[in-house]
Amino acid sequence: MFATCKTGLGLKQSIEQTSAYLESHHTHTTQVHNTTHPNTKQQKIHSIPPPRLLGRLPDCAIHQILLFLAMEGGDTTSNGGGEWLRPMDTEQLRECGHRMVDFVADYYKSIESFPVLSQPGYLKELLPDSAPRQPDTLDSLFNDIRQKIIPGVTHWQSPNYFAYYPSNSSTAGFLGEMLSAAFNIVGFSWITSPAATELEVIVLDWFAKMLQLPSQFLSNALGGGVIQGTASEAVLVALLAARDRALKKHGKQSLEKLVVYASDQTHSALQKACQIAGIFSENFRVVIADCDNNYAVSPEAVSEALSMDLSSGLIPFFICATVGTTSSSAVDPLPELGQIAKAHDMWFHIDAAYAGSACICPEYRHHLNGVEEADSFNMNAHKWFLTNFDCSLLWVKVLSGKFVLRFAVGAPLTEEQHVDAAWKLLQNEASKVLGSM
Ligand code: PLP
């Protein structure tokens, strides 16, 4: 298949057609650009030396993109045989930024003219074998993107795109991404950027309220929401938490007995999560969905499978229900599955990755009835909420109410008096927190 695609006439034609289109379009773009900017601004722009991108090789689009982003188009100066990279100054950034926005706006304007589907296996022969060593211009980068990258893009944002599921960003989302990329915040803990963590908590509370999730999913209770990359990660996180809870209850040696239940319409992400979490493959129970009930799973079928497992000495510990299965848009019966999970002290996860956004609309909210019984709930903002990929929202109820503080005593200058003082401070603060609960 690879060889066919590489030499396939269809692909060649597609690239040629796309390139021809883009070339004519580029001429048009330049004209538009010139007419929409006042002369003074144009002169100013031309007086700025063109930013130079790492990658002299004109046919190295992907490297140029990566290095453009990484190196910020630094100029080079000689350094005794070696070369320095100097980051763009702010005026160059301004100029390049405007041109990049123009490029993107033109892409959106012309998006319908591209074939939605591209074919694999064409790029390697268009790119050099090793990374470029010399800088190149932004114009050259744009040319490479037009000629070598766009022909291989599957245009998810095209109005003619009907595959898989909608994964639509929006122009507002794209602008937000620009800002986010500019700040490049590393938010792995509160202190690494309080604004990021706090905004995440606040916005996920807003979302939870829009979806009318139970109050236990709000941050002022013991639960709360957190952004994951994808729904696949979200279900893995939920599964790991459920597994650890079960192992704590039944003992570590019981891993081989833990059983997961889902319908045959459930996204394959769950099965992959089970493999990662060490759930034995024979303990992944795929219950056949009811085709007479719009492919929702029947609670009776789940109960039946569960009874058989119990009688074999296995431990049912996780049920995954879906609101809007990827293949058939089925909605599983949440209240009944929630009751089954509760009766057997199982973790109940709801995967609303695809259709969750729709449930913000009052007329669709009833599909979430039963979410009260869930331990975790996930929806993808990057699917139907006009947010750039990737942004998957996960809410968890499961917290124990216990907090652990790591108090690291290790500095060579620390003496007992310092530890005593810190311990007193901790006790005072803990008393205040406990007093306020
Ligand atoms: N669950 C459902 C119902 C989905 O529709 C999808 C994606 O199509 C997923 C999970 C996996 O989503 P992601 O690609 O964010 O991992």
Side-chain angles (χ1 to χ4, degrees):
M1 182 183 166
F2 180 76
T4 317
C5 289
K6 242 177 136 177
T7 55
L9 189 62
L11 174 64
K12 192 164 174 284
Q13 273 175 346
S14 160
I15 293 179
E16 279 166 4
Q17 280 165 7
T18 312
S19 302
Y21 171 81
L22 285 165
E23 266 157 36
S24 63
H25 180 71
H26 176 51
T27 316
H28 171 71
T29 304
T30 311
Q31 285 162 0
V32 170
H33 186 84
N34 286 340
T35 52
T36 50
H37 285 276
N39 281 346
T40 47
K41 198 163 184 186
Q42 281 296 309
Q43 277 160 10
K44 190 176 169 207
I45 286 175
H46 286 302
S47 70
I48 298 171
R52 290 148 64 89
L53 308 176
L54 189 71
R56 169 70 193 87
L57 302 169
D59 46 357
C60 183
I62 198 84
H63 286 153
Q64 283 177 345
I65 295 166
L66 294 174
L67 293 166
F68 173 62
L69 295 171
M71 307 308 294
E72 297 184 323
D75 203 349
T76 60
T77 52
S78 177
N79 177 34
E83 283 178 330
W84 293 103
L85 279 165
R86 202 175 62 218
M88 271 187 206
D89 64 33
T90 46
E91 288 313 312
Q92 286 176 312
L93 168 68
R94 201 183 303 283
E95 188 218 336
C96 291
H98 286 162
R99 293 189 60 201
M100 187 60 87
V101 169
D102 281 345
F103 185 89
V104 173
D106 288 333
Y107 169 70
Y108 272 101
K109 208 166 158 184
S110 58
I111 195 165
E112 275 194 64
S113 46
F114 298 112
V116 170
L117 186 63
S118 296
Q119 296 177 52
Y122 77 103
L123 192 56
K124 197 169 188 307
E125 63 189 33
L126 300 182
L127 298 184
D129 282 341
S130 53
R133 296 184 58 81
Q134 299 294 325
D136 209 341
T137 62
L138 187 58
D139 281 324
S140 176
L141 173 83
F142 282 144
N143 281 339
D144 278 357
I145 295 175
R146 288 189 188 95
Q147 288 163 13
K148 288 159 191 158
I149 298 302
I150 290 192
V153 168
T154 295
H155 298 274
W156 281 70
Q157 307 309 313
S158 167
N160 293 315
Y161 183 95
F162 300 110
Y164 300 109
Y165 44 81
S167 188
N168 296 125
S169 70
S170 55
T171 41
F174 156 71
L175 291 174
E177 281 291 308
M178 273 176 79
L179 186 63
S180 160
F183 285 144
N184 193 29
I185 283 168
V186 180
F188 59 77
S189 78
W190 176 83
I191 197 67
T192 60
S193 200
T197 308
E198 293 181 20
L199 188 62
E200 182 175 352
V201 170
I202 291 165
V203 172
L204 268 88
D205 277 353
W206 289 349
F207 254 101
K209 286 177 191 165
M210 289 195 294
L211 287 162
Q212 297 176 43
L213 296 185
S215 59
Q216 295 99 312
F217 284 111
L218 294 177
S219 64
N220 60 5
L222 287 177
V226 67
I227 297 176
Q228 306 290 317
T230 62
S232 309
E233 290 165 58
V235 75
L236 175 63
V237 168
L239 188 75
L240 289 175
R243 182 200 64 180
D244 287 358
R245 187 175 80 173
L247 292 180
K248 209 168 168 189
K249 182 174 169 195
H250 300 283
K252 281 185 188 159
Q253 69 290 348
S254 58
L255 181 64
E256 65 187 89
K257 293 184 180 170
L258 300 184
V259 190
V260 172
Y261 300 81
S263 92
D264 61 350
Q265 302 294 304
T266 306
H267 196 276
S268 58
L270 178 63
Q271 193 173 359
K272 291 179 193 163
C274 286
Q275 286 171 346
I276 296 170
I279 304 303
F280 282 44
S281 55
E282 60 269 31
N283 291 351
F284 182 66
R285 229 31 100 235
V286 180
V287 182
I288 306 298
D290 185 354
C291 60
D292 294 329
N293 192 16
N294 292 327
Y295 290 96
V297 74
S298 115
E300 292 76 24
V302 174
S303 289
E304 201 178 313
L306 207 140
S307 302
M308 282 173 65
D309 288 331
L310 283 172
S311 59
S312 313
L314 296 172
I315 305 172
F317 87 107
F318 192 90
I319 298 184
C320 178
T322 306
V323 175
T325 57
T326 324
S327 46
S328 51
S329 302
V331 179
D332 288 331
L334 304 185
E336 291 84 353
L337 294 179
Q339 286 307 321
I340 295 172
K342 196 174 181 180
H344 295 91
D345 194 21
M346 298 167 73
W347 188 288
F348 183 37
H349 176 71
I350 298 177
D351 174 8
Y354 181 9
S357 313
C359 299
I360 291 171
C361 305
E363 63 271 34
Y364 295 119
R365 171 58 181 78
H366 65 275
H367 290 305
L368 294 189
N369 289 348
V371 67
E372 305 74 40
E373 300 299 342
D375 294 282
S376 48
F377 173 88
N378 162 242
M379 66 151 269
N380 278 355
H382 66 228
K383 277 204 165 65
W384 227 354
F385 210 73
L386 304 178
T387 307
N388 274 54
F389 197 85
D390 43 4
C391 183
S392 185
L393 315 180
L394 172 69
W395 286 267
V396 182
K397 245 186 209 173
V398 293
L399 297 175
S400 66
K402 290 183 185 159
F403 297 88
V404 177
L405 292 181
R406 186 160 61 89
F407 183 73
V409 184
L413 295 179
T414 301
E415 294 176 7
E416 198 166 347
Q417 48 169 322
H418 302 110
V419 177
D420 285 345
W423 178 237
K424 279 198 186 98
L425 184 75
L426 276 178
Q427 283 179 314
N428 286 342
E429 293 303 316
S431 306
K432 277 190 222 160
V433 172
L434 291 174
S436 69
M437 288 176 90

